[in-house]
Amino acid sequence: MTEIPDSNAPCCDDFRATSRRGFLRGSVAVGGAALVGVAHGTAFTETAYAATGTADRVLVVLSMRGAADGLSLVVPHADPAYYAARPSIAVPADQLLARDAMFGLHPSLAPLLPLWQAGRMAAVHATGLPVPNRSHFSAMEEVEDADPGSPERIGWLNRLVGRNGTGSPLEAIQYGGGVPAMAVTGPQPTLSSSDVDSVWLAGPTEPDGAAARRAALRTAWAGSSGPLANGMAATIDVVDEFAAVRAVPAAPGHGAAYPADDLGKALASAARTIRADVGAEVITVDHGSWDHHTWIGTTASGNLTSMAQVFARSVAAFFTDLGPLADRVTLVTISEFGRRVVENANGGLDHGHGNVMFLIGAGVRGGRYYGTWPGLTRTSDADLLVTTDYRQVLGEVVTTRLGASSAQVFPGFSPQDPALGVMSSL
């Protein structure tokens, strides 16, 4: 019997190392024994914070870790080099969804087709870093820092919420892993947890056990000062404030059905947080691995098909779950780089450059493909070239939806003129 490669097992040593390195790059994790969801950030350990109130608009960033193959997700069917370069893995043109004269969506994205047809989903092709970087770890750092050449280790999402932040960790929340991503790292405190129900004070579960645990911790640290004492006080405060999210029923609304996997769980937590309206302006979610060096497969089976199915079903469930609240939420996807144009000897794809970004939800001028198509070549080292800096896409989202300036969030970047126009104005 042929053994099917594990779609969740990354092939690259540097991708395997990202979790460990990410942990090492993090600053102090506050209240680790008391708080399952790690509250992160220098300011969190040193200062108190004010309650955030509500967030009228929410940005959800979905990171497709491992370098997704944008040429399979949004297929350039009219470019003859695509089919010549991928004799065994190319997606047949007659199976594509939302096909126009150049592009079409992978059939596994069918759950998202209603959003596309309703003008609430768009794709921008040939996006990415301006200079190729084929190291997962280094490229992730570069994409999420988004401030080339700066010695400061501040992620773009941390800058975004820090522009007018209240100091509450609940303004920016990461789900899907306990280690904060580079994008949220920096002086603005943020909250990172695997899911909603992991943000609690460990201790007795009998009636009033949590209250007793909280009282004991406050007594133990009473009269103490310094970063650890302030961190413990802030930990207890953020758990108390987050209780409003835990109080929201876990059952999805409006008949939504999430896949029983990590992405479904993380997006269900994101929807629950938005329903609680605790002031979360940014929610970031990880999904991986998309590092498909082997057996990328066909539309019938394979690593990419299975990943794309989970992605599409999870995102579709998320917007169904939100119901009318979806009018406040914009979701954007990002991956550290794309894959090569030419398939390799293992039926997979090696590290490339350009990729695709999806935008879904409020403010999106959807139902179409954006970007400048550079054309493909099928030499052994051919990449999809980048014609749109990924910061251009993100910049149009944060300026139109959250009222930030591009200079605040992406220092040193000069937006293109004219803009892509993928987002409607405020």
Side-chain angles (χ1 to χ4, degrees), residues 28 154 171 306 324 374 414:
V28 178
I154 303 175
E171 283 191 287
S306 62
S414 298

Side-chain angles (χ1 to χ4, degrees), residues 1 28 53 55 90 100 111 204 241 252 297 343 361:
M1 182 175 68
V28 178
D100 72 359
E241 189 175 347
E343 67 179 77

Side-chain angles (χ1 to χ4, degrees), residues 186-214:
Q188 176 70 18
T190 63
L191 179 68
S192 181
S193 179
S194 59
D195 57 75
V196 164
D197 293 320
S198 294
V199 184
W200 64 296
L201 290 172
T205 57
E206 69 271 9
D208 302 323
R213 174 67 166 163
R214 184 180 294 101

Side-chain angles (χ1 to χ4, degrees), residues 127-351:
T127 65
L129 290 164
V131 178
N133 184 337
R134 304 188 203 283
S135 162
H136 289 292
F137 175 65
S138 178
M140 285 181 196
E141 290 271 313
E142 190 175 352
V143 165
E144 297 187 2
D145 175 83
D147 187 9
S150 171
E152 297 183 337
R153 298 181 61 76
I154 303 175
W156 72 273
L157 289 175
N158 199 279
R159 289 193 294 272
L160 176 63
V161 295
R163 76 196 187 281
N164 58 1
T166 64
S168 170
L170 301 191
E171 283 191 287
I173 300 175
Q174 176 181 321
Y175 287 123
V179 177
M182 180 64 212
V184 297
T185 299
Q188 176 70 18
T190 63
L191 179 68
S192 181
S193 179
S194 59
D195 57 75
V196 164
D197 293 320
S198 294
V199 184
W200 64 296
L201 290 172
T205 57
E206 69 271 9
D208 302 323
R213 174 67 166 163
R214 184 180 294 101
L217 286 170
R218 288 198 183 278
T219 299
W221 288 91
S224 300
S225 60
L228 287 178
N230 292 340
M232 179 55 69
T235 296
I236 297 171
D237 288 343
V238 77
V239 170
D240 288 347
E241 189 175 347
F242 196 81
V245 183
R246 289 171 52 84
V248 171
H254 307 94
Y258 290 95
D261 85 318
D262 290 344
L263 180 60
K265 185 177 182 181
L267 284 175
S269 288
R272 200 170 162 191
T273 302
I274 293 166
R275 290 201 300 271
D277 200 16
V278 292
E281 186 177 45
V282 169
I283 299 175
T284 181
V285 173
D286 280 1
H287 183 218
S289 161
W290 293 81
D291 193 27
H292 299 149
H293 288 271
T294 61
W295 201 60
I296 203 167
T298 66
T299 56
S301 65
N303 286 328
L304 186 131
T305 290
S306 62
M307 289 288 290
Q309 288 172 344
V310 169
F311 165 76
R313 289 172 55 207
S314 297
V315 173
F318 172 68
F319 280 97
T320 298
D321 188 0
L322 288 175
L325 291 176
D327 292 338
R328 296 165 50 183
V329 180
T330 306
L331 182 148
V332 61
T333 69
I334 193 165
S335 197
E336 63 264 35
F337 47 75
R339 316 299 295 194
R340 294 282 197 185
V341 176
V342 180
E343 67 179 77
N344 62 29
N346 297 312
L349 294 160
D350 297 324
H351 296 178

Side-chain angles (χ1 to χ4, degrees), residues 29-92:
V30 180
L35 184 60
V36 177
V38 178
H40 178 80
T42 304
F44 186 77
T45 67
E46 297 175 351
T47 64
Y49 62 87
T52 62
T54 63
D56 293 333
R57 298 184 176 195
V58 182
L59 170 62
V60 176
V61 179
L62 198 163
S63 295
M64 305 170 84
R65 302 290 187 186
D69 177 36
L71 292 174
S72 289
L73 295 173
V74 176
V75 177
H77 65 85
D79 193 320
Y82 170 77
Y83 288 100
R86 300 183 172 196
S88 69
I89 65 170
V91 181

